[in-house]
Amino acid sequence: GKPNVGKSSLMNLLLQEERAIVSPVAGTTREAVNEKITFYQQDLLLTDTPGIRRKRKIDETLETMMVKSAFRAVEDADVVLLLIDSSEHAIADQELKLAFYVFEHYKSLIILFNKDDLSDDSIKKDMDFSLSVYKYFLKKVPQMHISCKNGKNIGRVLPLVKQVHERANQKFNDDDLTMLFKEALRHKPLYHNQAVLGIKRVKQIAVDPITIVIV
């Protein structure tokens, strides 16, 4: 996320220790910080990344390295948590670009709206209006409102991460997939050069991201 949205605070709350430095000064986290945690007998590696500013505001060599560190962390991740300051009135273009960067690298995405304790009804209404423009893809992304200050929903973050990761690693029966696609085409046929497209077989060949071959 952007600087000062609560990434380090969330990291500390999930670890239940002061591992990452928290400061009201934006840019305190200079490089990606990794820490292991065990959740439901599974080992997880949590990474706290530096804040990412708009490109035109990046004019220092150090900050450029910080942004590269954050991008590398996304590329190495299985599930990415995008933190957004819910006390702002609208989602920023930079945050949308970060979401698309995650998609481009085929990573699972969860959007967390932090600082919910600072968001009143008027701010929430403005934010909802801002998000409605992008509902065509945001409606498919798991979202949660949290507060690192008062602990709201912090205990639900890792269970959601586990759920999203399991969904990305689902394995489907090829016969069931074939039947599903054939039934869908029966209700809504697809055409190419006025010829009806048919399906012989559907096969899943990979997970995370789930990849399907249609023949």
Side-chain angles (χ1 to χ4, degrees), residues 171-214:
K171 293 183 179 180
F172 298 94
N173 180 276
D174 293 343
D175 290 336
D176 292 339
L177 283 175
T178 302
M179 185 178 300
L180 177 68
F181 276 74
K182 284 186 174 181
E183 186 66 15
L185 282 179
R186 189 176 69 83
H187 288 286
K188 191 174 182 179
L190 296 178
Y191 297 87
H192 179 68
N193 293 333
Q194 297 184 341
V196 180
L197 293 180
I199 289 178
K200 293 182 179 179
R201 188 73 175 163
V202 180
K203 181 178 179 63
Q204 181 179 356
I205 60 173
V207 297
D208 199 16
I210 294 173
T211 307
I212 294 173
V213 172
I214 303 175

Side-chain angles (χ1 to χ4, degrees), residues 4-20:
N4 207 25
V5 293
K7 298 182 296 296
S8 296
S9 296
L10 177 60
M11 175 86 155
N12 290 337
L13 287 169
L14 295 178
L15 293 172
Q16 297 184 348
E17 63 176 278
E18 297 296 319
R19 175 62 177 87

Side-chain angles (χ1 to χ4, degrees), residues 17-76:
E17 63 176 278
E18 297 296 319
R19 175 62 177 87
I21 299 174
V22 176
S23 168
V25 179
T28 302
T29 303
R30 297 295 182 92
E31 61 180 354
V33 177
N34 298 315
E35 192 71 29
K36 291 183 179 179
I37 186 174
T38 300
F39 179 73
Y40 276 84
Q41 299 182 334
Q42 289 183 311
D43 292 328
L44 306 180
L45 183 67
L46 303 180
T47 302
D48 175 25
T49 66
I52 301 177
R53 306 175 194 265
R54 285 180 294 178
K55 194 169 185 178
R56 67 172 179 265
K57 290 190 175 182
I58 300 174
D59 54 9
E60 297 179 9
T61 301
L62 175 59
E63 189 160 9
T64 300
M65 293 173 62
M66 290 162 55
V67 171
K68 288 182 178 179
S69 175
F71 282 157
R72 281 197 301 271
V74 170
E75 293 162 13
D76 292 338

